């Protein structure tokens, strides 16, 4: 038996950025304690912007928001943890307890005795900025492609197109939980006129943030129900559409640009 300790971290990452981990759970706990995004960020020693990006990412992975703001807009950052957020905190701590037991077993017995328990400690990285927890609502099969409808919330769905082979491989069926992933450059911002031509995956929301670079702009769109879509578009296009924080915008993406992942 050895006295060495192995510390296991439960994390989920996207594009190199932490989505759910110890620090993010502590941030949610700080929001619960202080009732404010800005106060929670200060207590954690992080920027207000970093705090908002973290909770947005968490909200996108949950069927209902982990936190909600009590005032309109981002100014002030008054917020409260929802029942879903409290469940996330509790479940995360229970999973960490399981991981602690696994790590202790590794330290004491080595790898031979733990088998599949190592799967508790596995994580993944993806390049997509938009990751949504969803549920398969319906599947419509064609000779080559399959149309899959995924529910984000009671009011929001995503239409995805994948192959028959992928559908079989993933074991997709109504009621199956899945992750829907969309790369930010695949998200288009459209005008009201162009929106009339969009058949699927059209979301209206409030612009929370616009970040400009020389060529591109990154736009964060609050589409309601605690969900946020991130789009990376040509800067001139964002300017032509009048994209600005606090204004409404329309975002869309093609069904075949969606990646579906299951556990």
């Amino acid at each position: 038996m050895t006295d060495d300790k192995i510390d296991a971290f439960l994390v989920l990452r996207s594009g190199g950025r932490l989505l759910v981990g110890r620090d993010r759970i502590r941030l949610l706990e700080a929001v619960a304690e202080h009732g404010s995004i800005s106060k929670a960020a200060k207590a954690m020693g992080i920027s207000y912007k970093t705090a908002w990006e973290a909770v947005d990412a968490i909200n996108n992975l949950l069927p209902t928001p982990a936190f909600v703001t009590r005032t309109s807009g981002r100014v002030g950052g008054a917020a409260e943890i929802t029942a879903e957020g409290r469940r996330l905190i509790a479940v995360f701590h229970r999973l960490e307890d399981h991981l602690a037991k696994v790590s202790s077993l590794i330290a004491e017995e080595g790898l031979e005795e733990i088998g599949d328990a190592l799967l508790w400690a596995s994580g993944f990285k993806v390049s997509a900025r938009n990751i949504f927890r969803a549920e398969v609502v319906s599947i419509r099969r064609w000779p080559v492609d399959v149309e899959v409808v995924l529910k984000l919330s009671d009011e929001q769905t995503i239409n995805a197109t994948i192959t028959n082979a992928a559908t079989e491989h993933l074991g997709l069926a109504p009621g199956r939980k899945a992750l829907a992933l969309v790369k930010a450059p695949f998200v288009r911002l459209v005008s009201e006129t162009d929106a009339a031509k969009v058949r699927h995956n059209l979301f209206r929301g409030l612009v929370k943030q616009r970040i400009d670079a020389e060529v591109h702009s990154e736009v964060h769109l609050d589409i309601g129900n605690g969900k946020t879509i991130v789009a990376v578009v040509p800067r001139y296009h964002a300017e032509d559409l009048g994209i600005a924080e606090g204004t409404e915008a329309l975002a869309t993406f093609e069904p075949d640009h969606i990646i579906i992942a299951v556990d």
Side-chain angles (χ1 to χ4, degrees):
M1 182 173 178
T2 177
D3 292 330
D4 293 337
K5 181 180 178 181
I6 298 176
D7 194 9
F9 291 87
L10 176 66
V11 297
L12 178 67
R13 293 180 179 272
S14 171
R17 296 185 179 185
L18 183 65
L19 293 181
V20 179
R22 290 178 182 174
D23 289 344
R24 297 302 177 246
I25 291 298
R26 288 170 184 161
L27 175 61
L28 288 179
E29 291 173 327
V31 172
E33 178 182 355
H34 298 285
S36 164
I37 296 292
S38 58
K39 290 180 180 179
K42 185 176 181 181
M44 291 286 296
I46 60 177
S47 70
Y48 183 48
K49 176 178 179 293
T50 297
W52 264 96
E53 289 181 348
V55 291
D56 277 347
I58 292 172
N59 275 351
N60 281 347
L61 288 176
L62 296 175
T64 57
F67 86 108
V68 293
T69 56
R70 293 196 299 268
T71 57
S72 61
R74 300 176 65 230
V75 178
E80 62 182 21
I81 297 297
T82 64
E84 188 78 2
R86 295 185 186 280
R87 281 194 291 270
L88 173 62
I89 292 170
V91 168
F92 187 90
H93 286 313
R94 286 202 299 272
L95 287 174
E96 279 211 316
D97 288 341
H98 284 296
L99 283 173
K101 292 176 183 178
V102 171
S103 63
S104 295
L105 186 58
I106 295 173
E108 293 174 2
E109 305 292 343
L111 298 177
E112 186 176 351
E113 301 297 326
I114 68 169
D116 290 340
L118 277 176
L119 293 176
W120 283 100
S122 64
F124 63 87
K125 295 182 178 181
V126 296
S127 61
R129 291 290 303 277
N130 299 292
I131 305 178
F132 302 100
R133 177 180 170 82
E135 178 181 327
V136 178
V137 175
S138 65
I139 296 176
R140 187 177 185 183
R141 295 180 180 272
W142 298 96
V144 177
D145 296 327
V146 176
E147 297 177 14
V148 182
V149 178
L150 300 152
K151 181 175 74 172
L152 298 185
S153 67
D154 290 339
E155 299 85 20
Q156 298 165 318
T157 59
I158 286 178
N159 286 66
T161 301
I162 61 176
T163 64
N164 271 289
T167 304
E168 295 297 331
H169 177 69
L170 295 174
L172 296 183
R176 179 71 189 268
K177 304 295 183 182
L179 293 180
L181 302 89
V182 186
K183 297 186 68 172
F186 288 164
V187 179
R188 295 182 293 117
L189 300 179
V190 295
S191 65
E192 293 283 354
T193 300
D194 290 336
K197 306 173 186 176
V198 176
R199 293 183 56 199
H200 300 299
N201 304 328
L202 178 67
F203 298 91
R204 183 184 299 273
L206 191 69
V207 178
K208 296 168 54 178
Q209 189 177 25
R210 171 179 160 180
I211 304 170
D212 292 328
E214 184 177 355
V215 177
H216 292 98
S217 292
E218 179 179 295
V219 179
H220 296 240
L221 190 66
D222 181 352
I223 60 172
N225 296 299
K227 309 302 182 186
T228 301
I229 288 180
V230 179
V232 174
V233 300
R235 182 171 176 175
Y236 72 84
H237 186 56
E239 293 173 351
D240 289 345
L241 291 174
I243 300 298
E245 293 183 13
T247 63
E248 282 194 346
L250 291 159
T252 185
F253 44 84
E254 297 297 329
D256 58 359
H257 283 167
I258 300 166
I259 297 172
I260 298 176
V262 298
D263 56 18

